[in-house]
Amino acid sequence: MAATGLLLGLILALGCFSEICVAIISFSSLQTTLVVTVSHPRRLLRAGEDKITVRWGLNQSLPAGTDSAYKTIKVQLCYAPISQVDRAWRKTEEHFSKDKTCQFKIVKMPYTTGNQTLEWTIERDVPTATYFVRTYALDANDHEVAYGQNTDAKKTTNLFEIQAISGRHVSLDIASVCFSVFSIVSLMGFFFVEKRTGRKAQQ
């Protein structure tokens, strides 16, 4: 009976230890094995309208079998350092559980050998900022094991800017102008009528 209890305790302890290990997976522990490039029509892109083309694949200079544990690819849009300054909600952290660098999923799909290409329309809710793209390789447990990005280690090259949607529409602007003109004309008409009425009262 005591042995059974000891065995259950050991299993629970190992389980907890395993969860802790998963929780403290750090970015620096990942291998940089993927090559990622991004092309776009201009440096300043518009959310909800423009597209970017993302290409990724295993670095061909690496030994065969490097990607044997890769099961899934996750491509994300990430904030560049210049757009993280004084913004704690975008802060880069070493541990994945706390990291807020890459908040926008471009795609998550099964890993396949060879280069892959994806054209992605920038989503409407992407805020104004400077970005880069990072691709993660995940293992069978859905844990990040390798990555690649279209910028250098300091995240200063090949960046691009996205302009958020202003929330205004052309038709609304036209309606606003028309209403303003109507208001001015109505106000002038009111003063004219009042002035004329006043003159008649004096007569």
Side-chain angles (χ1 to χ4, degrees), residues 69-74 108 136-140 142-145:
Y70 302 174
K71 302 301 179 183
T72 306
I73 281 290
K74 180 172 65 175
K108 186 175 182 180
Y136 290 106
L138 283 63
D139 62 15
D142 213 35
H143 297 154
E144 293 85 354
V145 291

Side-chain angles (χ1 to χ4, degrees), residues 127-197:
T128 297
T130 301
Y131 296 90
F132 67 95
V133 172
R134 179 179 290 163
T135 300
Y136 290 106
L138 283 63
D139 62 15
N141 295 316
D142 213 35
H143 297 154
E144 293 85 354
V145 291
Y147 81 101
Q149 56 191 31
N150 75 305
T151 186
D152 62 334
K154 295 183 178 180
K155 297 172 284 188
T156 59
T157 61
N158 300 322
L159 306 176
F160 53 92
E161 298 175 28
I162 294 178
Q163 179 67 50
I165 294 176
S166 65
R168 300 181 64 179
H169 195 275
V170 175
S171 60
L172 293 178
D173 291 338
I174 294 173
S176 178
V177 171
C178 292
F179 181 76
S180 298
V181 172
F182 176 76
S183 299
I184 294 172
V185 171
S186 299
L187 186 61
M188 292 176 64
F190 173 77
F191 281 119
F192 176 77
V193 171
E194 283 292 311
K195 189 173 182 180
R196 188 172 181 180
T197 302

Side-chain angles (χ1 to χ4, degrees), residues 19-31:
E19 290 297 324
I20 293 173
C21 289
V22 169
I24 62 173
I25 292 177
S26 61
F27 181 76
S28 60
S29 69
L30 305 184
Q31 295 180 316

